[in-house]
Amino acid sequence: MINITEKYNQEKESTIQYDVSKLLQTDLSDYLKESLMNLGNPEVDKFVALFPIQGKVRISVIRDSLNGIKEILPENLFEETKSEVTEICDDYKWRNSKKGKLVLQIEDRIKEARLCVATDFPSEHIYIGRNFIEPVSLIVGGYVKELRTKAMIESCLNNMNPPIAIDYRISSCD
């Protein structure tokens, strides 16, 4: 017979547990920045100063600046820079899209909810995550010793005003 901890771990692993915001790039890698700065070219320095992307930066400014230094850079350095810039710009566009903003709001609530559950219900087996297939989701599952604890957890998390409805998958151990 499978025990509660094993079931809990299996269910938890079926949800997204990592914070997507940690995967989003806003800056050039240190290695690349150093390589570019070592060229000692004022145009290249101006380009590097555009990073990390902050506020309402226009992607076109970054692309124009990159194209402006294309002739200055050795081909392999240009390709490496272009590759990182593409990733940074894609992440920036996603972060500022309707879906991206919503997922990041959900992630903020998940961090808050995990802290609340760890502090207020430390002896319960509760996981909080998102669905792999539909990332715009908020799943709270696991196992509690008593049904009234389940109600308390649901009340606590609903009071956090999540940006979408929570899909509760909490069961009682008994």
Side-chain angles (χ1 to χ4, degrees), residues 5-17:
T5 305
E6 282 179 52
K7 281 176 75 171
Y8 163 79
N9 286 333
Q10 285 175 351
E11 290 172 18
K12 181 179 177 181
E13 286 171 15
S14 74
T15 63
I16 298 172
Q17 291 294 310

Side-chain angles (χ1 to χ4, degrees), residues 81-92:
T81 305
K82 184 178 161 189
S83 172
E84 281 196 28
V85 166
T86 299
E87 191 170 332
I88 291 167
C89 290
D90 288 350
D91 286 355
Y92 180 80

Side-chain angles (χ1 to χ4, degrees), residues 79-117:
E79 289 305 321
E80 207 174 322
T81 305
K82 184 178 161 189
S83 172
E84 281 196 28
V85 166
T86 299
E87 191 170 332
I88 291 167
C89 290
D90 288 350
D91 286 355
Y92 180 80
K93 283 183 209 163
W94 181 83
R95 173 186 282 119
N96 290 292
S97 70
K98 193 175 174 183
K99 183 177 183 178
K101 285 178 181 174
L102 184 55
V103 168
L104 292 172
Q105 273 186 323
I106 294 166
E107 288 285 349
D108 286 343
R109 285 311 181 296
I110 287 174
K111 285 181 239 176
E112 221 178 297
R114 284 181 181 152
L115 186 63
C116 166
V117 168

